[in-house]
Amino acid sequence: MPSSKWKGSAPPNWSRPERVVDLYPLVRPLLRALPPEAAHRLTLTALAAGLAGTSRASDPPELHQRLWGLDFPNPIGIAAGFDKDARAPDALLRLGFGLVEIGTVTPRPQSGNPKPRVFRLEADGALINRMGFNSGGLDRVLERLAMRRNEDGIVGVNIGKNRDSADAVPDYTVGVRRAAPLADYLVVNVSSPNTPGLRDLQARAVLEALLRQVLAARDETGVRPPLLVKIAPDLTPEERADIAAVALATGIDGMIIANTTIARPSGLRSPQAKEAGGLSGRPLFAPSTTVLAEMYRLTAGRLPLIGVGGVASAEDAYAKIRAGASLVQLYTALVFAGPALLGGVKTGLAALLRRDGFASVAEAVGADHAVAAAISIGLSPS
Ligand SMILES: Cc1cc2nc3c(=O)[nH]c(=O)nc-3n(C[C@H](O)[C@H](O)[C@H](O)COP(=O)(O)O)c2cc1C
């Protein structure tokens, strides 16, 4: 599909006038009164029905970026897990996301863990989920993506394994082979905490073998969309160094940092903090940004990174970019703040770039590392 994308500097339709009002303030009380998963299902249904509207403004030119031969109108994406089954990718693009990540999709349909399996930690601006890769399966997802084949906008597909598959590798190679013709980028997700054994795939030798096989599967398709690996925030320094080495040695195209955490940082105030699963949102911001910065340093800025974890403002997105992210994703903040958040993040990010003298996102990627290096050799950064 990348070949059918617009490649010019001025993608179509951005300046199309706004046609829909923001209904979120009206439906917010209803969504909050529902259990989190029911609220999510309703949100997706509304999006798929075209009730969510179109972003008010065209994206500021500083936010445009070309990566992997793809034109991103802005660097803010919706993270995996929000639209696992590709029910509303175009509605999410119309809301103003610069990229939409579908999935995680497993080869065969599976129902995931028993409900309830998502918990709001209101006082902490956080969620805990133990969904367990509930998925409509590859056939269903790819059918939907095939129907939108000629639409504009960057849509990635995040691939996982079925819970009952003893050997993970064929699940990933099948997913990659089948999704490659319909995905602008692919993600190998080895970091969900809710599928037993999944995160063990991050161990050096296992990861290297897996990535070599999925890259070969992708290359056989002839379409070669960029392939990224999504990692956990709960890694030891040795594991991080191993993953960085494997990433560079195998030639994958980038990394997404990070998935939810199994840690429970001290200071969580919500009673739901004791639930099992992956924690996302505000408490994940600092640890995931630390891992992001470390991976940028370990890969010497040679791989584009997508920063995700606790982004809830323009300042947060800018911090991810300065720490080394070329693109930024969010999920949990959207649950608490609604879709109006996105416009504010984009406008605020453009203002922060301008304030600091950056003409583009690309110029600011990893800027904190340059400052740290200048300080370490005794130069005063300008
Ligand atoms: C309910 C829920 C389901 C998720 N499902 C997936 C998933 O299927 N695959 C995946 O890679 N990440 C999944 N994630 C993780 C997010 O993509 C993201 O990495 C994480 O939530 C941190 O970002 P945030 O703090 O902005 O939410 C899920 C997160 C939540 C809250």
Side-chain angles (χ1 to χ4, degrees), residues 57-79:
S58 54
D59 288 324
E62 311 62 350
L63 299 190
H64 173 261
Q65 200 176 182
R66 195 170 168 84
L67 269 179
W68 306 299
L70 297 167
D71 283 308
F72 292 84
N74 72 73
I76 311 298
I78 180 79

Side-chain angles (χ1 to χ4, degrees), residues 14-107:
W14 288 355
S15 53
R16 194 169 52 190
E18 216 37 40
R19 66 176 170 78
V20 183
V21 286
D22 181 9
L23 295 175
Y24 185 76
L26 297 176
V27 295
R28 190 173 188 271
L30 167 66
L31 293 176
R32 284 302 177 86
L34 289 171
E37 196 171 343
H40 184 66
R41 216 171 25 248
L42 188 63
T43 303
L44 268 182
T45 302
L47 279 165
L51 296 177
T54 301
S55 139
R56 256 165 247 280
S58 54
D59 288 324
E62 311 62 350
L63 299 190
H64 173 261
Q65 200 176 182
R66 195 170 168 84
L67 269 179
W68 306 299
L70 297 167
D71 283 308
F72 292 84
N74 72 73
I76 311 298
I78 180 79
F82 187 89
D83 188 7
K84 287 174 186 269
D85 292 331
R87 293 189 55 205
D90 292 308
L92 288 162
L93 289 165
R94 281 195 297 273
L95 276 184
F97 284 106
L99 57 153
V100 171
E101 193 166 310
I102 294 306
T104 294
V105 56
T106 56

Side-chain angles (χ1 to χ4, degrees), residues 254-287:
M255 276 190 274
I256 304 188
I257 304 161
N259 217 312
T260 56
T261 178
I262 55 168
R264 294 293 181 266
S266 59
L268 291 179
R269 287 181 290 152
S270 312
Q272 294 83 353
K274 63 181 184 328
E275 293 289 346
L279 175 74
S280 57
R282 199 195 305 141
L284 181 58
F285 178 78

